[in-house]
Amino acid sequence: MQFIKQAMPMYTHDQAAYVRQMYDWHMKMAQYHEQLRTFHLERAKQFQKLSEEKAKTSEVSSDTSAA
């Protein structure tokens, strides 16, 4: 997954252009953070599954060693 963090626009004396640039930048940053959030949630789910699988295999191995 490709994450592109946009640099904040530099202030210019053209107030209208600066306001448009800041609007665009904030919209891009919102999308960037949503992408990061989605990515990290998916990775957390993957690690949760691994943890559950590890717990199940350790339960099975402790059950068979106790018998």
Side-chain angles (χ1 to χ4, degrees):
M1 186 174 266
Q2 180 77 17
F3 301 111
I4 300 172
K5 188 170 187 176
Q6 302 287 327
M8 181 188 262
M10 297 297 290
Y11 178 77
T12 63
H13 291 286
D14 182 353
Q15 189 69 22
Y18 178 70
V19 169
R20 280 192 307 275
Q21 290 173 349
M22 288 301 289
Y23 169 78
D24 290 339
W25 181 76
H26 281 287
M27 292 303 291
K28 288 176 183 174
M29 289 305 294
Q31 293 170 357
Y32 170 78
H33 286 290
E34 273 301 310
Q35 289 174 350
L36 280 179
R37 181 179 185 279
T38 302
F39 170 76
H40 286 294
L41 285 173
E42 287 300 316
R43 294 293 291 165
K45 288 176 187 175
Q46 290 174 354
F47 281 103
Q48 184 180 32
K49 287 179 185 177
L50 288 173
S51 177
E52 291 169 355
E53 289 172 4
K54 179 72 173 165
K56 286 179 185 176
T57 56
S58 64
E59 286 176 10
V60 169
S61 64
S62 65
D63 289 346
T64 56
S65 63

